[in-house]
Amino acid sequence: MSKKVKVRFAPSPTGDLHVGNIRTALFDWAYARHTGGTFLFRIEDTDTTRVTDEYINAAIDTLKWLGLDWDEGPEVGGENGPYLQSKRLDIYSHWAAKFIEQKDAYFCYCSPEELEAVREQQRAANEAPGYNGHCRDLTPEQIAAFKAQGRAGVVRMRMPDGGTTFNDLIRGEMAFDHKFVPDFVLVRADGSPLYTLAVAVDDILMKVTHVLRGEDLLSSTPRQIRVYQAMGVALEDYPVFAHLPFVMGADNAKLSKRNGEVSIAWYRDKGFLPEAICNYLALLGWSPGDDRENVTMKELCELFTVEKVNSSPARFDMKKLEAINGDKIRALTIDEFLTWALPFLTKAKVITGTADEIALVKRALPIIQERIVMFSEIPAMLNFLFVKEFAIEAESLPKVTDSGAKDVLKRSLKELEPLDDWSHAAIEAALRSSLIEEMGLKPRIAFGAVRIATTGSTISPPLFESMELLGKEASLSRISAALAL
Ligand code: GLU
C-alpha cells in the first residue's frame, strides 16, 4: 500500500520570499492537493543572524496572500510541531549527541584558519578543497589537550567511503562520490545546529514523503541521506527527492535583483494579482501537456504531476506575467476591481476614501479596466478626477500653448458650453463634428489638446468618458484655464 503523500515547503526567510521560493511552494502545495496528501509548512530559522521575525511573518503572510493553505505549520499547528526550527533545538541536540555516541559523528577542533590553510594546500595540489578528516580519530588525550587550549569543537558527521545514489523524480538516477562529500558540520561550536542536520531530522520526524525543492539544494542531498542513515531510518522511509530547475532571468542568468524583480512583495506593491502570479509561476517549468497560458488553482491541483516538470531551467518573462495579470484584471467584476483598486488610490493619496470619492472611482473603473496591466497604474490614471490643484504636466505644456492648440480649445469651449447632455456620446459628437469635420483636423491633434487641457497629461483613460466623469463645470474651467496659459 502506498503511503499518503506529505510534502513540505521549508523556507529560510532571510528576506522576502522570492519568485523561485514561491514557485517551489506552489508546486509543493499543488502536489499535496493533487494527491490528496498533506502540505506542511516549516520555517527554517536556525540561522538567527539572518532570519528575523519580520521575515517569518512576511513569509506566512505571502503564502496566505497567494491562496496557499497548509495542513500543518505555523498558525494551524499539527501533531508534528513545533514548525519553527528555532523551537526544536533540543531535538537536534539529542540527535547530534546520539550520532557522537554511535561514532557516526565526532568533535572537530580545527580553527577556521587551520581549515583555510588545509584548503589552500589542497588547491595548490589541484585537489578538491574540503575537510581532510583531521579530527576523525582523536584520542581522549588529544581531545583534552584541545579543550585545555580553550577550543570549542564543532560536531562533524563522518562520511563513509563510497557514494550515495538516489532517484530524483525530475533528474533521474543521481550518484555522488563521497570523495567530493567531506565530513560536514552538524553543530556549530556555539551548539547551534546547521541546516543539514535540522532539515534531515525534521523531514524524518515530520514524516515527509516527498521533498520537492530548488536545485540549489541538490548537492546537500547526500549529506541529508547520511543523517537518515545515522538516525537508523529504514530505506523505504526516506523521502523521495525532486529538484526543481532554476528560474532564470531574461538574460539567462540566475534570477536576481539585478535582472528582474524577485521579491513577491515587489509584485504585490506593483499590483499583481495573486492568481496571476500563481498562474504564471505554475506554468514556468511545468505544463499539463498542452500549451495553455491560463491555469486556475483548481486546475493546477487537478493536473499537477512531478513527471510533467521540465528538467531544464525556466526563463522568467515579465511581459508574459504582465499580460496574464492584465487578463485577470479584465476578468474581475467591478466590485472586485474596486476592492483591489482602493488601497492603491489611498496609498498614493489620490483619495482619502470618502463615499463620494469611492462612488466616482467605481464609475471610472470600467474605462480603465481594459487599459492597465497592474493596479499601481491606477493612481496616475485617475488622479485628474480628484486633484485639488490641477496643473498640466510640464512636458505636455507646449502641446496646449501653440496657436493650433489654442484654436482647438477655443472651438471646443464654444461647442461644449451649450451642451445640456454631458454624456460621453454627446461630448464626442459635439467635438467630432466641429474639430474633425468642420475644422478638418486629425483626431490625434484635435483630441490631444483637449485631453491635455482636461486631464493634464497625454496619457489618460478614454477622453470623452474622462470628461463625462470630470463633469461639465470642471472640464470647461480647465479648458478656459489652458487657453489663458
Ligand atoms: N530552508 C532551505 C532554504 O530556504 C530549504 C530547505 C529544503 O527545501 O530542503 O534554502
Side-chain angles (χ1 to χ4, degrees), residues 8 10-12 44 195 199 213 217:
R8 86 319 191 255
S12 308
E44 306 216 317
Y195 159 74
V199 76
R213 60 181 179 184
L217 296 158

Side-chain angles (χ1 to χ4, degrees), residues 233-338:
V233 179
L235 207 57
E236 63 269 23
D237 292 328
Y238 287 10
V240 175
F241 289 91
H243 287 93
L244 305 166
F246 284 127
V247 180
M248 313 299 270
D251 54 4
N252 268 340
K254 211 178 143 196
L255 198 65
S256 73
K257 280 244 161 57
R258 202 172 33 78
N259 54 20
E261 285 304 329
V262 292
S263 141
I264 294 297
W266 184 86
Y267 292 92
R268 206 170 158 170
D269 286 350
K270 279 279 167 193
F272 283 86
L273 281 162
E275 52 267 40
I277 296 176
C278 289
N279 182 148
Y280 178 66
L281 291 181
L283 296 174
L284 196 61
W286 169 81
S287 99
D290 49 32
D291 51 9
R292 72 176 72 201
E293 302 224 316
N294 285 298
V295 66
T296 63
M297 297 294 261
K298 189 162 166 279
E299 289 165 341
L300 177 63
C301 294
E302 281 162 15
L303 300 170
F304 186 83
T305 59
V306 180
E307 290 70 30
K308 293 263 167 62
V309 174
N310 199 326
S311 60
S312 44
R315 179 112 49 90
F316 189 84
D317 179 347
M318 185 70 98
K319 285 273 161 280
K320 220 170 193 173
L321 172 57
E322 284 179 3
I324 290 175
N325 204 49
D327 286 346
K328 303 267 180 200
I329 289 176
R330 281 187 281 286
L332 296 174
T333 65
I334 286 302
D335 283 323
E336 287 165 343
F337 190 18
L338 183 68

Side-chain angles (χ1 to χ4, degrees), residues 8-14 17-18 21 24 28 42-45 85 195 199-200 203 211-214 216-217 220 224 241 243:
R8 86 319 191 255
F9 174 56
S12 308
T14 53
L17 294 186
H18 57 73
N21 296 133
T24 301
D28 285 331
R42 179 174 74 226
I43 303 280
E44 306 216 317
D45 59 343
Q85 288 189 329
Y195 159 74
V199 76
D203 283 341
V211 172
L212 270 67
R213 60 181 179 184
D216 48 327
L217 296 158
S220 74
Q224 280 155 248
F241 289 91
H243 287 93

Side-chain angles (χ1 to χ4, degrees), residues 406-417:
K406 295 244 169 205
D407 290 343
V408 167
L409 296 179
K410 255 186 238 144
R411 181 67 188 264
S412 304
L413 209 51
K414 180 163 162 257
E415 299 296 329
L416 294 173
E417 259 162 356

Side-chain angles (χ1 to χ4, degrees), residues 27 49 179 183 190 244 288 355 370 459:
F27 285 6
T49 55
K179 266 199 231 108
D183 294 357
D190 65 4
L244 305 166
E370 290 291 320
I459 308 155

